[in-house]
Amino acid sequence: TIFVVRDPLPVIASLANRPRFWKGDFRGLDNHYRMFRSQVLTRPELAHVVGSVPLPSEVTPSKIVQIQAIMWAATHRMVFDALVGTPVPLLFYEDLFRDPFKVARSALQKLGLTDAKLHPSYIFTPSMATMRTTHDLEGERARKNGALDFFHKGKLTDDELRVIARVLADFGVAIYD
C-alpha cells in the first residue's frame, strides 16, 4: 500500500473548475456533505477536532470552498493519524509530478521492490503520459522549475485561500507545496 497525498489547493481549485463533478454519483454537494457530516465527521477519531471547528450546517455558494476544505482536511487528518507508526509510504503528488522516476523509485524501494528490472516507468507510464499532456506548456515549464502553484493560481481568491488555510489549521494539517 502507498498513500499519495495531493495538496488541497489544487484539489479545491479543480473542483471549482468542474461544477458538474458533484452531480453524478454524489447527487450534488448538498447530499454529499450531508452524508459526510453524518458518516465521517461523527467518527470518534475526529471528535477532538470537530468539536472546536465551526461547521456550516448547509451548502451555500459562499460556503462551498470551506466545505470542500473541511472534507479534504477531515479525511486527511484521519488517514495521517491512522498511518502513524505504520510502514505505509506516504508520497506527495506534487513530488511525483516534479520528479516521477525518482519518487517512484523511492516508493518501490520502500515497498521492498528493488529488482533493477522493475523500472518506475512500467508502473506510471499511463499516468505520466497524462500528466505531461493534460497540463499544457505552462504546466510543463512549472514542473521543470518546481513551481506548481499553476494548478491553483488565479483560480482561488485571496479570501478563499484564507478560508482554506483556517480550516487546515483547525484540523492540524498543512498545505504541502
Side-chain angles (χ1 to χ4, degrees):
T1 302
I2 296 175
F3 186 66
V4 179
V5 179
R6 186 162 188 204
D7 186 286
L9 297 180
V11 171
I12 294 168
S14 176
L15 291 171
N17 285 333
R18 299 183 310 161
R20 296 184 55 165
F21 174 80
W22 294 109
K23 292 196 171 40
D25 293 337
F26 295 116
R27 290 180 240 111
L29 179 57
D30 291 352
N31 185 54
H32 187 69
Y33 181 57
R34 192 171 28 264
M35 289 187 308
F36 190 85
R37 282 182 62 118
S38 68
Q39 296 174 19
V40 177
L41 294 179
T42 57
R43 296 177 65 101
E45 58 267 40
L46 286 176
H48 68 287
V49 176
V50 172
S52 62
V53 174
L55 300 172
S57 57
E58 61 184 44
V59 176
T60 63
S62 66
K63 298 292 184 187
I64 289 174
V65 166
Q66 180 186 12
I67 288 168
Q68 291 173 342
I70 288 168
M71 292 189 311
W72 187 97
T75 303
H76 285 74
R77 174 78 278 143
M78 285 188 331
V79 171
F80 294 151
D81 290 348
L83 290 177
V84 170
T86 70
V88 175
L90 180 65
L91 301 180
F92 295 93
Y93 173 88
E94 289 74 17
D95 294 339
L96 187 59
F97 190 81
R98 277 189 198 104
D99 196 345
F101 291 120
K102 179 181 175 186
V103 174
R105 175 64 68 204
S106 170
L108 290 170
Q109 289 173 343
K110 288 177 183 177
L111 293 171
L113 302 170
T114 57
D115 185 344
K117 294 177 188 171
L118 185 59
H119 193 274
S121 65
Y122 299 155
I123 298 169
F124 294 108
T125 297
S127 298
M128 288 169 33
T130 301
M131 285 195 293
R132 294 277 169 74
T133 58
T134 60
H135 296 302
D136 64 38
L137 292 176
E138 178 188 3
E140 184 63 15
R141 280 192 298 275
R143 185 186 71 77
K144 286 180 181 174
N145 296 331
L148 297 179
D149 64 350
F150 79 93
F151 281 120
H152 65 272
K153 193 171 188 176
K155 297 175 183 140
L156 297 169
T157 67
D158 288 343
D159 286 342
E160 290 171 329
L161 291 171
R162 280 190 285 278
V163 166
I164 294 167
R166 187 171 49 251
V167 168
L168 298 180
D170 287 345
F171 279 88
V173 293
I175 294 171
Y176 301 111
D177 196 44

